[in-house]
């Protein structure tokens, strides 16, 4: 099953990004981040099943957030 031609997912690109700011005293940090920034629908796993269909395992959708950190 692992080498079956129907189990190929094809090539794709994903874009992840982040940008951050740290205060002068390095106590505060803010970071904005994004995963799968262009909301690409992709299959990260594909299993041929019972000769009738392929079972798809889809990857994560677009995720984004903001992280705030403080050090004492």
């Amino acid at each position: 099953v692992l080498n079956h031609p129907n189990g190929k997912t094809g090539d794709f690109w994903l874009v992840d990004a982040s940008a951050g700011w740290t205060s002068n005293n390095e106590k505060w940090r803010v970071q904005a981040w994004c995963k799968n920034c262009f909301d690409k629908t992709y299959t990260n796993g594909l299993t041929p099943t019972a000769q009738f269909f392929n079972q798809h395992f889809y990857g994560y959708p677009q995720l984004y957030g903001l992280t705030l950190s403080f050090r004492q």
Side-chain angles (χ1 to χ4, degrees), residues 5-67:
N6 289 339
K8 291 185 179 180
T9 60
D11 297 334
F12 56 88
W13 286 73
L14 295 176
V15 176
D16 297 344
S18 67
W21 171 83
T22 304
S23 66
N24 289 337
N25 62 5
E26 296 186 359
K27 288 190 175 201
W28 290 95
R29 182 170 186 221
V30 178
Q31 183 176 21
W33 52 269
C34 176
K35 295 194 175 277
N36 191 6
C37 296
F38 298 115
D39 202 18
K40 171 76 175 167
T41 299
Y42 64 98
T43 301
N44 60 12
L46 185 62
T47 304
T49 305
Q51 300 180 8
F52 299 113
F53 62 92
N54 292 325
Q55 184 175 8
H56 290 257
F57 299 95
Y58 290 100
Y60 288 108
Q62 181 184 50
L63 300 170
Y64 52 90
L66 188 66
T67 303

